[in-house]
Amino acid sequence: MNNMTTARTPVPDTARRLPEAERRLSLRERKKLKTRTAIRDATYRLIKEQGYEATTVEQIAEEAEVSPSTVFRYFPTKEDIIITDEYDVLVEDLLRSRPADEPVLESVRWAIRQSMAMQVADTPEYAQEEMKLRTGLMVSVPAVRSRAMESMSVTGRLLCRVLADRTGRDPDDLEVRVYAMGLMSALLEAVLYWAERDYQDDVLDLVDRTLSTFSNLARRSPDDGHDILTG
Amino acid sequence: MNNMTTARTPVPDTARRLPEAERRLSLRERKKLKTRTAIRDATYRLIKEQGYEATTVEQIAEEAEVSPSTVFRYFPTKEDIIITDEYDVLVEDLLRSRPADEPVLESVRWAIRQSMAMQVADTPEYAQEEMKLRTGLMVSVPAVRSRAMESMSVTGRLLCRVLADRTGRDPDDLEVRVYAMGLMSALLEAVLYWAERDYQDDVLDLVDRTLSTFSNLARRSPDDGHDILTG
DNA sequence: CACCTTTTGAGAGTTACTCTCATTTCATGC
DNA sequence: GCATGAAATGAGAGTAACTCTCAAAAGGTG
């Protein structure tokens, strides 16, 4: 592959990320953002060419034009370079912006759609491709999948807090936690399903089906096709 | 700590494990089982004394009186020494032994109780302690927790197959997978909850509450305390 | 006992990750 | 513009989890 940029044109994709929020930051903060995305872009580029295992952190550092130390300062593990997303806070805000009497699953559905739309808006050309690469790695690389599950459980705790606020329960309540983790895990499974089938389905459609399955669990009638699981 | 056994008395706990199945195996197979449990016992012993991070595979090898190479031959990663369980096949058999028209969650509840009872029967003195150590490590060591989630998702696939057989669906059906993974993940969360609270609750009680939460998801009435989550 | 297969140990090598310290780069008050 | 302090970076050494290879040992079988 030689459609990659030469060293003379460092990290070209960088400029496209975080177009608005990037302003009004100190030079230092802007530089930090730049190296962060430079590292991530370099990682995606190399992995696309060579695969995950064949790509070492040293190579990533070189490609991103930083030292290996810096890579580890920005991302605690190699998997984090791929998985870490900054959208968790966003999702929490989105969830909290919904009326408290809306069914939880509706709020979640809306928050997912909204956050995906915003990601696409941030980086139109790359959002889809990056998401495919990421989920593909979740399927093929156990370490990445593990890290994704960890990250998902963090999002689960977030959902716990929202649920707790809505229902007046404790966020550490067993029932709250079980519900939140079950839901998050189901959603992750949907994404894995999407990647395993070579992204043929519409992700949002899979999300809808997942949420439906989740809300229909207790019904016994086999009339809508999503609810005969409980026997 | 000097209640540890000397090198002259190698792996004393070993003899207690797998008391029945161990016979009728060739000498080779028996030896393999022995080293396997020797490694595991050594690991638990060392971790109890020194903690997880401080315990290296080299130390484990020495304590188990094998070479480091052998340790890695038996367990692909250090976390696997702690997490790997041989009870998955057992659980599948247990699930399949139930009548096909029994509600799934009932079968699961029964299978969990049964498999726990059998583990206790296998190694009465150590079963509880080992389970506590293991779940404690899931809470405190991210790598172990990740590995546990991976292992859980394998069990989830198993549940998919059982569900598929029962409902006549495909085991790769999105709804089947989402249901199975959601349930498994919820159960794992219950165990983590148990460990986080210093094992004060009865695990089986937590399992029951988890399964109840799962089966009550779609109901709206706030009358039994487990079901107002869907708002 | 001899022959073949499986298991083991020894050792070298890779790589992710950690820690420390000196150097550079940015922010700020003058 | 410049001095001073703080934050970010780079360089390098070190650790430990794995991987691979190959020769020695042990088990199974005629």
Side-chain angles (χ1 to χ4, degrees):
Chain A
M1 310 241 143
N2 42 9
N3 61 347
M4 54 175 288
T5 56
T6 70
R8 287 239 42 152
T9 313
V11 288
D13 330 69
T14 302
R16 293 200 195 85
R17 302 186 137 264
L18 299 163
E20 294 303 325
E22 199 166 339
R23 322 212 174 289
R24 298 294 154 197
L25 288 175
S26 70
L27 173 57
R28 225 168 221 171
E29 295 300 316
R30 263 177 291 157
K31 272 204 156 183
K32 283 213 289 188
L33 271 184
K34 257 189 180 169
T35 38
R36 195 179 178 80
T37 56
I39 292 169
R40 218 200 306 267
D41 289 341
T43 305
Y44 281 130
R45 227 176 296 141
L46 289 173
I47 287 181
K48 240 179 279 181
E49 289 170 19
Q50 323 174 335
Y52 181 82
E53 330 267 3
T55 303
T56 75
V57 174
E58 227 168 327
Q59 291 176 331
I60 293 172
E62 199 181 352
E63 175 86 7
E65 293 179 287
V66 294
S67 76
S69 322
T70 300
V71 174
F72 286 117
R73 241 179 235 116
Y74 279 82
F75 300 95
T77 74
K78 190 177 156 190
E79 298 90 48
D80 275 281
I81 307 180
I82 299 164
I83 292 303
T84 303
D85 55 343
E86 300 78 14
Y87 292 91
D88 260 23
V89 200
L90 171 64
V91 168
E92 178 155 14
D93 286 346
L94 288 174
L95 281 178
R96 290 189 185 282
S97 78
R98 304 301 293 178
D101 60 337
E102 181 180 59
V104 172
L105 295 178
E106 277 315 306
S107 306
V108 169
R109 182 197 321 267
W110 184 85
I112 290 174
R113 285 184 180 276
Q114 198 69 12
S115 90
M116 276 184 149
M118 294 173 86
Q119 290 185 48
V120 172
D122 274 3
T123 61
E125 321 76 76
Y126 289 98
Q128 200 140 351
E129 199 180 347
E130 268 191 26
M131 181 158 179
K132 285 185 183 177
L133 182 56
R134 204 186 315 192
T135 52
L137 290 173
M138 287 185 203
V139 170
S140 61
V141 183
V144 175
R145 182 171 52 249
S146 287
R147 187 62 194 74
M149 290 179 175
E150 267 289 306
S151 161
M152 167 211 77
S153 94
V154 172
T155 313
R157 302 296 298 209
L158 179 161
L159 181 57
C160 281
R161 292 195 296 274
V162 174
L163 284 175
D165 281 359
R166 284 201 181 191
T167 63
R169 291 171 170 237
D170 194 291
D172 285 325
D173 200 53
L174 175 70
E175 279 76 19
V176 172
R177 286 178 56 178
V178 155
Y179 180 90
M181 283 304 299
L183 177 55
M184 293 307 305
S185 180
L187 288 168
L188 178 61
E189 190 69 9
V191 174
L192 295 178
Y193 179 95
W194 180 59
E196 280 174 28
R197 311 264 165 139
D198 293 315
Y199 320 102
Q200 288 176 9
D201 305 270
D202 176 29
V203 206
L204 290 178
D205 187 49
L206 296 182
V207 167
D208 280 350
R209 285 170 63 192
T210 301
L211 294 174
S212 296
T213 305
F214 217 72
S215 73
N216 286 341
L217 283 184
R219 299 202 193 136
R220 301 294 164 106
S221 59
D223 55 1
D224 85 343
H226 288 177
D227 51 11
I228 54 174
L229 283 166
T230 46
Chain B
M1 306 243 144
N2 42 9
N3 63 346
M4 52 175 288
T5 55
T6 71
R8 288 237 44 153
T9 312
V11 289
D13 330 67
T14 302
R16 293 200 195 85
R17 300 184 139 267
L18 301 162
E20 295 304 325
E22 197 167 341
R23 322 213 175 286
R24 298 295 153 196
L25 288 175
S26 71
L27 174 57
R28 229 170 216 168
E29 294 300 316
R30 264 177 289 158
K31 271 205 155 183
K32 283 214 288 188
L33 271 184
K34 257 189 180 169
T35 38
R36 196 178 175 79
T37 57
I39 291 169
R40 218 202 304 268
D41 290 340
T43 305
Y44 281 132
R45 228 176 296 142
L46 288 173
I47 287 181
K48 239 179 279 181
E49 287 170 21
Q50 323 173 336
Y52 181 82
E53 329 267 3
T55 302
T56 76
V57 174
E58 228 169 325
Q59 290 176 332
I60 292 173
E62 199 182 351
E63 175 86 7
E65 293 177 287
V66 294
S67 77
S69 323
T70 301
V71 174
F72 287 116
R73 243 181 235 116
Y74 279 81
F75 300 95
T77 74
K78 190 177 156 191
E79 298 88 50
D80 275 280
I81 308 179
I82 298 164
I83 293 302
T84 305
D85 55 343
E86 300 79 13
Y87 293 91
D88 260 22
V89 200
L90 171 65
V91 168
E92 178 153 17
D93 286 345
L94 288 174
L95 281 177
R96 289 189 187 283
S97 77
R98 303 301 293 179
D101 59 337
E102 181 180 57
V104 172
L105 295 178
E106 277 314 306
S107 306
V108 168
R109 184 197 317 269
W110 184 85
I112 290 174
R113 285 183 179 275
Q114 199 69 13
S115 92
M116 277 185 149
M118 293 172 86
Q119 290 185 46
V120 172
D122 275 4
T123 60
E125 322 74 73
Y126 289 97
Q128 199 138 351
E129 199 180 348
E130 268 191 27
M131 181 158 180
K132 286 185 180 174
L133 183 56
R134 202 185 317 191
T135 52
L137 289 173
M138 287 185 203
V139 170
S140 61
V141 183
V144 174
R145 183 170 52 248
S146 288
R147 187 62 194 73
M149 289 178 175
E150 267 289 304
S151 162
M152 167 210 77
S153 94
V154 172
T155 312
R157 303 295 299 210
L158 178 162
L159 182 57
C160 281
R161 292 196 295 275
V162 174
L163 286 174
D165 281 358
R166 284 202 180 190
T167 63
R169 289 169 171 238
D170 194 291
D172 285 324
D173 199 53
L174 176 69
E175 279 76 19
V176 172
R177 286 178 57 177
V178 156
Y179 180 90
M181 284 303 299
L183 177 54
M184 293 307 304
S185 180
L187 287 169
L188 178 61
E189 189 70 8
V191 174
L192 294 178
Y193 179 94
W194 180 58
E196 279 175 27
R197 309 264 164 139
D198 293 315
Y199 319 103
Q200 287 175 9
D201 306 89
D202 176 28
V203 206
L204 291 178
D205 187 50
L206 296 180
V207 168
D208 280 350
R209 286 170 63 191
T210 301
L211 294 174
S212 296
T213 304
F214 217 72
S215 73
N216 286 342
L217 283 183
R219 299 202 192 136
R220 300 294 163 106
S221 59
D223 54 1
D224 85 343
H226 289 177
D227 51 12
I228 53 175
L229 283 166
T230 46

